[in-house]
Amino acid sequence: MKKILAALATTGFLTLSAYAADVQGTVQSVDPATRTIALDDGTVYTAGEGVDLAGISAGASVTLTIDDTTNEVTSVEAQM
């Protein structure tokens, strides 16, 4: 019985893991001081502490990975 409960608990934990969504857009502005990225559609996202904003500038086409639970950017990928 303990094994069954442990398996169910593990499955439940994995189900509650963070979900991520990808958002594509063109950067309107980046503010390293507040760690925000504004896209040309008017949405503004806050980047997590581990996200490097140095290579991102206005006009760049990017894909942002957003943590659905915190609405925080977890990665930025420039599109070619």
Side-chain angles (χ1 to χ4, degrees), residues 25-31 37-39 52-62 76 78:
T26 303
V27 175
Q28 182 178 22
S29 64
V30 178
D31 185 347
I37 303 167
L39 299 182
D52 183 15
L53 300 177
I56 305 302
S57 60
S61 293
V62 295
V76 178

Side-chain angles (χ1 to χ4, degrees), residues 38-77:
L39 299 182
D40 62 349
D41 66 358
T43 57
V44 178
Y45 296 97
T46 302
E49 289 299 320
V51 178
D52 183 15
L53 300 177
I56 305 302
S57 60
S61 293
V62 295
T63 298
L64 305 177
T65 302
I66 310 296
D67 182 330
D68 288 343
T69 59
T70 62
N71 205 35
E72 192 171 79
V73 175
T74 58
S75 71
V76 178
E77 181 180 336

Side-chain angles (χ1 to χ4, degrees), residues 4 10 22 27 35 41-42 58 68:
I4 293 172
T10 300
D22 287 338
V27 175
R35 304 201 51 77
D41 66 358
D68 288 343

